[in-house]
Amino acid sequence: MGVAKLTDDILNERHKYGTSLYSEWRDFAKEVERVYKGDFGPSDPASGSLEIVRPSEGYAITHKFLRMLSLRSHISYESVRQNDTQKEMERCDRIERVVRGYYTEHRFITQRNVHRDAVFFALLRGRGAIQTLYDPSAQLKIRQEALDPFEYFPVYGKEGPRWFTTERYMRRMELWDYFAGLTDEQLDNVNLPDIWYDPDENDDHKTPWDWIPVIEYWDDTWFGWKVQDTLVSVEEHGYGFVPLAEIRLNSTPLDEERWANMALIGAAIEDLKHMATLKSKMATGVEQFYFPRMYYQDADGNMHVPDANTPVGTFGEV
């Protein structure tokens, strides 16, 4: 928006600005994800062995809301009717059947449910988005994808998103396949990145499965993308709008990134971590002190504590 011509410098500047808006939110979202996965232990483990209880409450709460929204079983589509005439009802019915058929076919082809994935990201990280593009090379001519909030960075104005960038990583071999599939006419309109190498002169130890950064830029007029430091292509997409629909959960007018958009369990992660700590300490206490220990004396007069691994017949006189 407001760019007469998209250049490499403008793309880099806007991507840097977009990513800077979400640094604090990203750190907090990573902590929420750790709680969701139960990938943490007590914050102040006591000396000695401590039995770590991996909590599942974060996972259970998030997936309970997914089930409540019925996003794992069925989604209905409705076209708004402008009047109550029979002709209008038939028109809307046709639109609904086409949309329902498109998403059914989309699920079979991609083996993904784009709506479920977008809502899952919104519940887990406070933000989720669906990007819809016209792609003549796609099987259905329309390509939809649920974007990971860690990978896209929208910049908003008073009337919605002004532009957004994405930063992802692709395998070197995937990029080879992509550029190998372009026609000669298409290759004339792109700048090839430096991703190929000579196996006989591979001093940098490059491999086909190396991760290569790929950055995309979208506004209401321009689309551009670069691989590593090479601006591959810039073109006018002709949509007339920014092709991004974003879901923002627990949205507030607060400026602080952590509280502007918060995950479903975002406000409760400290409570969940404290509960996990208490459970771990209680489990350790029960293991060490609740069950009375039995001691026995062997034939040499030494004291022992029996356990399940003690062979039968080796006990001494108790």
Side-chain angles (χ1 to χ4, degrees):
M1 182 174 289
V3 178
K5 177 67 177 179
L6 181 63
T7 64
D8 189 22
D9 291 338
I10 293 177
L11 191 154
N12 290 333
E13 178 183 350
R14 292 201 163 189
H15 179 62
K16 183 178 180 180
Y17 174 72
T19 55
S20 69
L21 297 177
Y22 298 94
S23 57
E24 181 184 345
W25 167 87
R26 186 186 181 96
D27 293 339
F28 181 65
K30 287 182 178 179
E31 185 65 19
V32 172
E33 186 170 337
R34 289 181 61 236
V35 175
Y36 165 80
K37 294 178 178 178
D39 186 20
F40 65 93
S43 56
D44 55 343
S47 59
S49 61
L50 182 64
E51 182 177 345
I52 306 300
V53 177
R54 299 295 180 186
S56 60
E57 285 85 352
Y59 178 92
I61 294 171
T62 302
H63 285 265
K64 181 179 181 179
F65 270 77
L66 276 176
R67 289 192 296 272
M68 290 171 59
L69 294 171
S70 299
L71 287 168
R72 291 191 174 275
S73 56
H74 176 72
I75 298 178
S76 60
Y77 307 96
E78 183 176 354
S79 177
V80 179
R81 289 157 174 75
Q82 299 178 0
N83 51 60
D84 295 332
T85 63
Q86 183 67 24
K87 184 177 180 180
E88 178 66 12
M89 294 179 63
E90 292 175 354
R91 184 188 70 87
C92 291
D93 288 341
R94 286 196 301 270
I95 293 176
E96 292 169 4
R97 287 197 300 270
V98 170
V99 172
R100 188 160 50 247
Y102 166 78
Y103 282 113
T104 300
E105 189 70 14
H106 187 274
R107 287 196 299 272
F108 280 120
I109 292 174
T110 63
Q111 294 297 303
R112 304 292 306 178
N113 187 324
V114 65
H115 296 103
R116 184 192 67 193
D117 292 346
V119 173
F120 171 78
F121 279 133
L123 292 174
L124 177 62
R125 295 177 180 167
R127 297 169 50 230
I130 295 177
Q131 184 181 22
T132 304
L133 306 173
Y134 171 68
D135 185 358
S137 63
Q139 207 165 346
L140 298 175
K141 308 302 180 185
I142 298 176
R143 179 162 56 89
Q144 282 196 320
E145 183 180 2
L147 300 180
D148 186 341
F150 284 167
E151 297 179 347
Y152 75 92
F153 311 95
V155 176
Y156 278 82
K158 293 183 178 180
E159 299 180 353
R162 299 176 58 197
W163 77 80
F164 74 95
T165 62
T166 66
E167 181 175 356
R168 315 181 197 189
Y169 289 83
M170 296 178 64
R171 298 284 190 183
R172 189 187 302 272
M173 182 174 291
E174 293 181 78
L175 291 170
W176 289 350
D177 293 340
Y178 171 79
F179 287 107
L182 298 181
T183 63
D184 293 339
E185 181 180 356
Q186 291 172 325
L187 288 172
D188 292 337
N189 297 322
V190 301
N191 300 314
L192 293 179
D194 184 19
I195 58 174
W196 289 268
Y197 63 91
D198 186 350
D200 297 329
E201 300 179 3
N202 188 14
D203 296 333
D204 296 331
H205 304 289
K206 298 177 180 178
T207 65
W209 48 88
D210 290 337
W211 291 105
I212 308 296
V214 178
I215 296 175
E216 292 184 4
Y217 170 88
W218 293 89
D219 62 17
D220 57 354
T221 304
W222 296 101
F223 161 69
W225 68 295
K226 60 186 302 182
V227 177
Q228 290 180 326
D229 297 326
T230 303
L231 183 61
V232 178
S233 68
V234 172
E235 60 185 63
E236 294 186 63
H237 52 68
Y239 297 158
F241 57 87
V242 181
L244 182 74
E246 188 175 35
I247 307 167
R248 294 205 165 196
L249 194 69
N250 294 328
S251 183
T252 70
L254 299 177
D255 293 331
E256 188 179 355
E257 294 177 32
R258 170 172 174 170
W259 296 98
N261 301 284
M262 185 178 293
L264 179 66
I265 61 173
I269 61 170
E270 294 302 327
D271 290 335
L272 293 174
K273 288 194 290 186
H274 289 325
M275 290 299 296
T277 300
L278 290 174
K279 289 180 181 179
S280 297
K281 292 181 176 180
M282 289 177 64
T284 303
V286 169
E287 177 70 22
Q288 293 183 348
F289 306 110
Y290 182 77
F291 296 104
R293 299 188 179 187
M294 181 175 66
Y295 298 89
Y296 71 92
Q297 183 179 17
D298 61 19
D300 298 327
N302 299 318
M303 298 297 297
H304 298 278
V305 178
D307 58 54
N309 297 319
T310 303
V312 178
T314 61
F315 289 95
E317 195 174 313
V318 177

